[in-house]
Amino acid sequence: MPELRPPARADKGPSQGSHKRFIIGGGISLQDSGGGTSMERLWGLLQGAKRLSPRPSQTIYKHVEGTQQGCPEEEEEEEEEVAKPPGHFCPMELRGPEPLGSPAGRQNLGLWTAAGRRAAPYLVLTALLIFTGAFLLGYVAFRGSCQACGNDVMVVSEDVNYGPGPNSHQGTLYWSDLQALFLRHLGEGSLENAIRQTSLRDRVAGSAGMAALARDIHAALSRQKLDHVWTDTHYVGLQYPDRAHPNTLHWVDAAGRLGEQLPLEDPDVYCPYSATGNATGELVYAHYGRPEDLQHLRTRGVEPAGRLLLVRLGVISFAQKVASAQDFGAGGVLIYPDPADFPQGPHKPGLSGNRAVYGHVHLGTGDPYTPGFPSFNQTQFPPVQSSGLPSIPAQPISADVASLLLRKLAGAEAPQEWQGQLSGSPYRLGPGPGLHLGVNNRRASTPISNIFGCIEGRSEPDHYVVIGAQRDAWGPGAAKSAVGTAILLELVRTFSSMVSNGFQPRRSLLFISWDGGDFGSVGSTEWLEGYLSLLHLKAVVYVSLDNAVLGDDKFHAKTSPLLISLIENILKQVESPNHSGQTLYEQVAFSNHSWDAEVIQPLPMDSSAYSFTAFAGVPAIEFSFVEDGQVYPFLHTKDDTYENLHKVLRGRLPAVAQAVAQFAGQLLIRLSHDHLLPLDFGRYGDVVLRHIGSLNEFSGDLKARGLTLQWVYSARGDYIRAAEKLRKEIYSSEESDERLTRMYNVRIMRVEYYFLSQYVSPADSPFRHIFLGRGDHTLGALLNHVRLLRSSSSETPGAATSGVAPGLGFQESRFRRQLALLTWTLQGAANALSGDVWNIDNNF
């Protein structure tokens, strides 16, 4: 093609010493003579060259110095020259492509081929690096919403769209949106007034006042935006004092005749489920009535058998005190509140000396006359009673009556740690003069009603997050049940308002007002017994509001290990009610960097949440604000009034109740809203390790008998590996896959159930949980049995209550059975956590 040259500008000649030519493609050149060619003209020439080219051509810029002829060419690319052109464009030469057969064409083609070969590996490597970096960046961003990937993740399924409510203009609700929505609606209620009004009502289970309150609560739930409201009625056996034949306490002279009657100030104060009848014997002081206390009496030469025991309130439950006394052969038990256990501050009220404390003595939960079976009307039951019913009488007495008794005691002085603060009363072990206790409680078949309200879930409506509060109370019950009932109703109202404003929980929320709580969680246990086969598959978590406000200094949570990580995260979201500018987490971590050692406690049997975990295998939590170094003195007394609770909290009751509602509400949001259930299933590996540490102390003694704990170690290792495998599976999965998410949630929510021993009968051992339960299948029972290797059963603390027969030492056959029960329950939990049967490692 002939060379095309732009005509020279008439007004300007070529610039001196800067004559440049740019060669394009296979020979088309643009010659720059500094003549100021415009950008538009250059672009037109380039487009024309593109059209004239017979085939696609590659572009190589070569810098040519000097005049048009005889100028050496630069072979290297001048990118800076292209990126930063001079202020004036020079005249250009435009040449067509050289023929391929020509020397110039072959030279250019060879240059381009060589350059391409050199650049190809770098281009491929660069592309791979860019692709890998973009993929990793996108993956990390996508996984940011996973709750199970670490304890520091505090988002709640932020990629989930929740449809706007009918009165809402918003679309997606994220964690911050839900938190703000919850707090905004929670602030509208009046908790303080609800607590006051509830505490003024007669609420003894089975009374006319309780029936009226039940109707009012049902009506209150029906007024809210709930999907279902209903009542569940059970007919249970409750025990009441006999007004015509009140319980009595008399001195007995040396001839065995009844003497002066000791005053029992309030005939309404009694121990439900105490054995009825009479007990006569010498008096012995037994501290808190723990097995180790009774054993100490024996080592000091004071035999508890056949005597009446005077024990202090606290440390363990009423039922545990009576069970221990019965195991040691005592004839009866008197329980009193010692001032040393209820210190009285200068500005805080204390318990009066003439007040006795109420408490049931059934070592268990639910209706003891239908153990393991629900108490529905017209249902036939086998003629059995709970093994937790005591066979000896028990009666609460006041501190004033206890002072009279202690003054009559002889014998050795009690140890220093057993000394109390009853003025003028020397604390001696006894024995003392004879006493006669008469208990005349009566049993009655009584209807009780649990009231339910439900907000159905959007994606998993068959999975229930349950929250409940005891409604009944012996006495005013301000702290015992009025606070919990008021907070429950406020949470119902708050979540109902949230639903009206766009909130749609992923799982169903179940709000329950329980009856019969003061008799040992009768209402909740009967509900669990009636629907156990359903609830262990569908109940995700139980949150209890009972005893939530007993002070304002410290926060305690009695809970399953599965909930510890979630509790930590929620504590970081709730403001402290008495430390301005601090969260609850900062408040508890300030005094103890190991926050869980300060806050977390195992569920005791007298907790209303205990049966959910130990009996039904549902993770549960019961949390409380308490006083620092001082227990709330009025619980289970007629002094548990709104006024006394307000005084103990120094006017801070509304703020503390609000903090409880915030904590409970945010727990419910996380548990009902998160795509992946925020339950830390790996925590139980740490629990097993901690208990194994206690067993390791006896490995040498076992080895000397040809026994080993290796089975337990192996099962624990399998559980740890299964938990880690599940965690990795979840981390690498797609959270948007609803089927996969539901499958993981089912495995996670049943972890607690896996620790119920499948090898013992629920009728014989209702509390089958190997860590929290009661019976020979538990890890605690195994540990107590192993301790017998170094002592007799009578010297082992806790031996009596764990099922170790008095007078029997270590039994190898029993040890092997216990080890098998524990090992295979733990191994079964590991297998279930692994998922499908083809994923299980059977090399045990």
Side-chain angles (χ1 to χ4, degrees):
M1 181 181 294
E3 187 176 72
L4 302 178
R5 298 178 183 272
R9 294 286 299 266
D11 54 342
K12 289 189 180 181
S15 59
Q16 301 297 321
S18 182
H19 206 85
K20 298 179 182 179
R21 182 176 57 174
F22 295 88
I23 300 175
I24 304 176
I28 300 176
S29 66
L30 299 177
Q31 183 169 320
D32 181 355
S33 58
T37 304
S38 67
M39 177 67 77
E40 292 80 6
R41 186 173 181 184
L42 173 62
W43 180 249
L45 291 172
L46 290 172
Q47 293 299 316
K50 185 176 181 180
R51 289 193 298 270
L52 291 171
S53 178
R55 60 186 176 274
S57 60
Q58 302 295 331
T59 302
I60 302 176
Y61 292 92
K62 294 185 180 179
H63 187 180
V64 183
E65 296 290 349
T67 60
Q68 293 122 318
Q69 306 205 5
C71 297
E73 296 181 348
E74 288 282 347
E75 294 295 335
E76 297 180 1
E77 298 177 4
E78 287 288 333
E79 294 180 1
E80 292 185 5
E81 204 64 45
V82 176
K84 298 179 182 180
H88 298 282
F89 283 98
C90 302
M92 303 289 178
E93 280 188 322
L94 183 61
R95 294 180 178 174
E98 298 286 347
L100 287 177
S102 66
R106 286 195 300 270
Q107 180 183 8
N108 290 333
L109 181 61
L111 291 172
W112 170 244
T113 303
R117 288 173 179 169
R118 290 195 302 269
Y122 299 101
L123 291 174
V124 172
L125 182 60
T126 302
L128 285 174
L129 289 174
I130 292 173
F131 175 79
T132 304
F135 176 80
L136 292 176
L137 182 62
Y139 184 77
V140 170
F142 175 77
R143 295 302 302 171
S145 59
C146 176
Q147 289 81 46
C149 302
N151 293 335
D152 298 329
V153 180
M154 270 303 298
V155 295
V156 187
S157 301
E158 293 195 0
D159 58 337
V160 181
N161 291 326
Y162 286 81
N167 302 318
S168 173
H169 300 290
Q170 62 188 10
T172 303
L173 289 176
Y174 299 119
W175 168 247
S176 57
D177 301 322
L178 289 174
Q179 195 176 33
L181 183 65
F182 170 74
L183 295 176
R184 183 168 70 250
H185 288 286
L186 182 68
E188 298 172 1
S190 178
L191 286 171
E192 185 176 17
N193 184 59
I195 295 170
R196 181 192 291 110
Q197 295 302 321
T198 305
S199 67
L200 294 175
R201 303 184 65 159
D202 175 24
R203 311 195 305 288
V204 177
S207 67
M210 170 54 79
L213 179 59
R215 289 191 296 270
D216 291 345
I217 289 182
H218 187 280
L221 296 185
S222 299
R223 289 192 294 270
Q224 302 301 327
K225 191 177 178 60
L226 302 177
D227 296 303
H228 310 282
V229 177
W230 74 99
T231 299
D232 205 9
T233 300
H234 298 267
Y235 293 79
V236 298
L238 303 181
Q239 204 181 63
Y240 299 97
D242 188 341
R243 300 293 178 88
H245 304 89
N247 299 341
T248 59
L249 185 64
H250 291 82
W251 292 113
V252 175
D253 62 19
R257 295 186 296 267
L258 296 184
E260 178 188 357
Q261 182 174 345
L262 289 159
L264 298 178
E265 290 92 343
D266 191 341
D268 290 335
V269 183
Y270 71 113
C271 287
Y273 302 125
S274 164
T276 57
N278 303 313
T280 302
E282 295 177 312
L283 183 69
V284 169
Y285 173 55
H287 200 210
Y288 291 112
R290 298 168 297 184
E292 54 264 40
D293 295 330
L294 302 181
Q295 177 55 37
H296 181 77
L297 286 174
R298 279 184 173 168
T299 58
R300 297 285 297 271
V302 181
E303 177 56 51
R307 287 169 168 154
L308 295 183
L309 304 185
L310 179 64
V311 301
R312 285 160 60 169
L313 181 69
V315 181
I316 59 175
S317 69
F318 277 55
Q320 290 170 305
K321 296 176 190 294
V322 176
S324 296
Q326 179 177 307
D327 288 338
F328 277 79
V333 183
L334 301 171
I335 305 171
Y336 81 98
D338 197 287
D341 302 308
F342 300 91
Q344 201 168 335
H347 304 294
K348 294 184 179 181
L351 189 65
S352 169
N354 62 0
R355 282 293 189 201
V357 180
Y358 165 103
H360 78 88
V361 292
H362 172 216
L363 191 63
T365 62
D367 182 358
Y369 305 110
T370 60
F373 299 91
S375 299
F376 292 117
N377 196 20
Q378 307 301 326
T379 304
Q380 299 299 313
F381 304 106
V384 296
Q385 294 185 350
S386 168
S387 60
L389 280 175
S391 59
I392 61 175
Q395 174 67 28
I397 62 174
S398 67
D400 289 348
V401 174
S403 180
L404 295 175
L405 298 178
L406 284 169
R407 291 172 192 165
K408 299 287 187 178
L409 285 179
E413 185 176 349
Q416 182 60 40
E417 60 271 19
W418 287 30
Q419 298 293 318
Q421 293 181 3
L422 286 172
S423 59
S425 302
Y427 285 77
R428 296 185 178 276
L429 299 180
L435 283 174
H436 175 86
L437 172 63
V439 173
N440 303 305
N441 302 337
R442 60 181 179 85
R443 170 186 165 186
S445 180
T446 308
I448 61 172
S449 298
N450 300 322
I451 305 168
F452 301 79
C454 175
I455 297 174
E456 278 197 36
R458 177 185 57 87
S459 301
E460 301 177 39
D462 57 333
H463 290 166
Y464 316 144
V465 177
V466 187
I467 183 168
Q470 174 183 328
R471 184 174 71 253
D472 66 299
W474 183 91
K480 177 61 182 175
S481 63
V483 169
T485 298
I487 293 174
L488 179 71
L489 293 175
E490 178 62 18
L491 288 173
V492 170
R493 189 198 61 77
T494 300
F495 277 90
S496 176
S497 299
M498 291 173 65
V499 168
S500 298
N501 284 270
F503 175 58
Q504 294 178 288
R506 181 181 181 86
R507 301 171 194 89
S508 295
L509 285 167
L510 204 56
F511 303 92
I512 310 178
S513 175
W514 302 115
D515 200 353
D518 264 358
F519 292 82
S521 304
V522 174
S524 58
T525 303
E526 294 308 307
W527 183 66
L528 288 172
E529 289 177 342
Y531 305 100
L532 183 61
S533 58
L534 180 75
L535 292 174
H536 89 266
L537 297 172
K538 299 193 173 188
V540 176
V541 166
Y542 177 66
V543 179
S544 171
L545 296 173
D546 296 340
N547 304 315
V549 180
L550 303 175
D552 68 343
D553 290 332
K554 290 190 172 184
F555 180 89
H556 288 162
K558 302 167 185 175
T559 185
S560 161
L562 295 174
L563 288 162
I564 293 177
S565 296
L566 178 59
I567 291 169
E568 179 181 3
N569 287 332
I570 299 299
L571 288 176
K572 295 176 180 178
Q573 306 292 316
V574 180
E575 272 195 50
S576 168
N578 54 4
H579 290 78
S580 180
Q582 280 190 336
T583 64
L584 284 176
Y585 180 82
E586 291 169 338
Q587 176 183 333
V588 299
F590 177 79
S591 56
N592 192 339
H593 293 296
S594 178
W595 76 273
D596 50 348
E598 176 78 13
V599 172
I600 303 300
Q601 301 172 0
L603 281 166
M605 185 177 287
D606 58 351
S607 165
S608 60
Y610 177 80
S611 56
F612 275 85
T613 300
F615 173 69
V618 177
I621 174 176
E622 178 180 290
F623 55 92
S624 306
F625 281 91
V626 298
E627 293 293 286
D628 188 8
Q630 177 180 354
V631 299
Y632 178 70
F634 306 118
L635 205 62
H636 293 126
T637 73
K638 289 189 174 181
D639 290 334
D640 184 14
T641 62
Y642 167 82
E643 290 74 20
N644 277 335
L645 181 60
H646 201 275
K647 289 177 184 175
V648 167
L649 269 70
R650 302 178 299 279
R652 303 191 57 79
L653 175 58
V656 179
Q658 186 82 355
V660 170
Q662 289 185 21
F663 182 85
Q666 294 190 53
L667 269 178
L668 295 185
I669 293 173
R670 289 293 310 274
L671 290 165
S672 67
H673 182 283
D674 281 20
H675 253 115
L676 195 71
L677 280 172
L679 302 179
D680 189 356
F681 46 85
R683 282 274 183 173
Y684 264 115
D686 300 332
V687 173
V688 179
L689 183 62
R690 186 167 62 249
H691 284 89
I692 286 178
S694 302
L695 289 170
N696 280 339
E697 178 185 348
F698 303 95
S699 59
D701 302 88
L702 291 170
K703 188 175 181 180
R705 291 172 172 258
L707 303 172
T708 178
L709 295 169
Q710 185 58 43
W711 282 10
V712 178
Y713 302 153
S714 298
R716 185 255 176 188
D718 283 350
Y719 182 85
I720 294 295
R721 285 186 288 274
E724 185 59 28
K725 178 184 174 185
L726 177 57
R727 196 183 302 277
K728 290 179 178 178
E729 284 182 25
I730 292 172
Y731 183 80
S732 60
S733 66
E734 296 291 340
E735 193 176 9
S736 58
D737 188 333
E738 287 290 332
R739 175 184 167 278
L740 199 58
T741 299
R742 180 180 176 86
M743 184 182 71
Y744 288 140
N745 282 336
V746 167
R747 286 163 67 181
I748 292 171
M749 67 182 280
R750 294 181 188 170
V751 167
E752 199 78 66
Y753 179 77
Y754 300 154
F755 291 109
L756 300 186
S757 179
Q758 306 298 308
Y759 306 100
V760 295
S761 166
D764 299 331
S765 301
F767 304 120
R768 294 178 293 148
H769 202 287
I770 59 173
F771 300 119
L772 293 175
R774 180 174 178 267
D776 223 31
H777 61 283
T778 63
L779 201 153
L782 175 65
L783 181 59
N784 285 331
H785 188 200
V786 170
R787 288 193 180 112
L788 297 179
L789 289 166
R790 300 182 182 179
S791 61
S792 67
S793 66
S794 61
E795 296 173 351
T796 303
T801 56
S802 65
V804 178
L808 295 178
F810 180 84
Q811 304 167 48
E812 182 175 326
S813 60
R814 178 170 175 258
F815 169 79
R816 290 182 180 277
R817 181 177 183 276
Q818 284 181 305
L819 190 63
L821 289 173
L822 177 67
T823 299
W824 286 109
T825 302
L826 184 56
Q827 185 65 41
N831 292 344
L833 199 62
S834 295
D836 296 305
V837 291
W838 51 82
N839 290 326
I840 298 173
D841 180 8
N842 61 1
N843 294 319
F844 179 61

